Amino acid sequence: MRQKDYFVLPYGTAGPGWEADEGEMVGIKQCRKHIRLVRGGPMDIIFRPLEAEDIPKLLPYFALRSNVTCDSTIFDSYLWRKYYQVEYAIVDEHILLMKMQEDGVHYAALPICAEEYLKEGFDLLKDYFHREMKTELRIYDADEKGLEVLGLDPGEYIVEELSDYADYIYDAECLRTLAGKKYHKKKNNVNAFARGYEGRWEYRRLGQDAREEIWNFLKSWEENKEENVEEHLEAEVSGLRDYLDHMDKFSAVMAGIRIDGRRA
């Protein structure tokens, strides 16, 4: 299935260079209207730059609510932390707030918390952007379920479709077995690869001892990449290097394919 993502921005503004096209990402334009905070008044929220030593502390928050958008993970936030100047704040130890910026425009993610605190976190973000940053709250990468929980008033929000960030979501077991007609083409591609490189390829889990090998692979890619490669890809490579330096902080599993003993 295709996973719908959402973009929340002030009424009368446009996204940063994005155009609506074929796809299922949806944007929400927010009208300027004050929403009284659940807590009844403003509170101090202190945002800090996201650093490697913060990862173990923040990881549990990402398991509090199901969110299947590919950007809503601690790994993605860390990977792009320098490019988007990612910062975070923890509120009363049950709400994680994250904000970022691009080209001088500030955004936030939907609050990362249990479902019952989502509305409270949303109101806190809105108040922070209005009171401290003197700007309207813009939410990037809001998932459909999260917006259903918030129950945004259609009289206050206008929905517009965007497209570039729609995600394909697959069942892990289906990808492991590739059973059924739906995965027939993928299974044929896998079988063709296995036959073409029979006896020459291997699939291996990768740990910290593989860092130098991966660094060399990334260096080779940079040296041989085409000139028209997007700036974002270079930032992604930089983020991957940063991750490799601190991969012990993440509960992630890496794996790779080698052909003739070399990374493919």
Side-chain angles (χ1 to χ4, degrees):
M1 68 174 182
R2 296 200 75 178
Q3 167 64 34
K4 294 181 179 180
D5 297 345
Y6 293 79
F7 184 58
V8 181
L9 65 161
Y11 179 81
T13 62
W18 297 338
E19 298 179 356
D21 199 353
E22 182 181 359
E24 295 187 41
M25 182 177 177
V26 177
I28 295 181
K29 290 189 174 180
Q30 179 188 359
C31 297
R32 189 180 186 88
K33 182 176 181 181
H34 177 68
I35 299 177
R36 182 172 61 85
L37 298 182
V38 173
R39 295 178 177 272
M43 65 184 303
D44 290 332
I45 298 176
I46 301 175
F47 280 89
R48 298 176 173 85
L50 178 61
E51 302 294 348
E53 56 267 23
D54 300 317
I55 300 304
K57 173 176 60 178
L58 302 184
L59 269 173
Y61 288 90
F62 288 83
L64 293 176
R65 185 177 72 85
S66 176
N67 185 341
V68 295
T69 58
C70 69
D71 294 327
S72 300
T73 65
I74 187 63
F75 173 76
D76 189 84
S77 297
Y78 186 79
L79 184 73
W80 296 99
R81 68 188 182 94
K82 294 180 180 178
Y83 188 86
Y84 291 112
Q85 301 178 53
V86 177
E87 297 183 332
Y88 78 94
I90 296 176
V91 180
D92 288 350
E93 299 186 354
H94 65 273
I95 299 176
L96 171 62
L97 304 177
M98 303 194 79
K99 69 181 183 72
M100 64 290 293
Q101 62 173 299
E102 183 180 17
D103 298 329
V105 179
H106 293 266
Y107 306 89
L110 272 188
I112 302 165
C113 57
E115 189 172 293
E116 60 263 34
Y117 298 119
L118 196 59
K119 179 63 166 65
E120 178 183 2
F122 183 86
D123 288 344
L124 289 170
L125 272 174
K126 182 182 177 76
D127 179 72
Y128 180 86
F129 269 65
H130 286 180
R131 179 169 48 88
E132 299 294 336
M133 304 182 67
K134 312 301 181 186
T135 186
E136 291 284 352
L137 171 63
R138 298 169 180 236
I139 297 287
Y140 168 73
D141 194 31
D143 64 293
E144 186 173 16
K145 175 61 176 177
L147 292 179
E148 290 177 359
V149 172
L150 287 174
L152 300 175
D153 186 344
E156 299 177 14
Y157 298 86
I158 301 172
V159 178
E160 290 186 351
E161 287 194 6
L162 302 174
S163 64
D164 295 343
Y165 296 89
D167 302 325
Y168 283 99
I169 306 299
Y170 295 96
D171 180 272
E173 183 61 25
C174 289
L175 285 183
R176 278 191 286 268
T177 62
L178 296 178
K181 185 177 180 181
K182 183 178 179 180
Y183 295 92
H184 183 71
K185 184 176 180 180
K186 286 182 172 56
K187 189 171 185 177
N188 285 343
N189 289 337
V190 171
N191 290 337
F193 173 84
R195 288 194 302 269
Y197 293 94
E198 186 174 2
R200 299 173 54 196
W201 70 274
E202 63 173 335
Y203 174 86
R204 288 184 55 183
R205 292 275 291 269
L206 301 174
Q208 287 187 290
D209 59 340
R211 283 189 301 175
E212 184 174 353
E213 179 183 2
I214 299 173
W215 276 330
N216 291 335
F217 179 84
L218 292 174
K219 182 179 180 181
S220 175
W221 176 85
E222 283 189 300
E223 292 174 349
N224 295 285
K225 70 179 186 299
E226 298 179 2
E227 293 184 0
N228 62 347
V229 168
E230 296 180 4
E231 177 188 358
H232 285 65
L233 290 180
E234 293 187 358
E236 189 169 17
V237 169
S238 176
L240 285 171
R241 284 204 183 95
D242 197 0
Y243 164 76
L244 290 171
D245 283 335
H246 303 98
M247 59 188 299
D248 58 307
K249 302 289 195 300
F250 296 80
S251 58
V253 175
M254 292 195 307
I257 292 177
R258 288 188 174 95
I259 296 177
D260 297 332
R262 299 178 60 184
R263 180 77 52 224

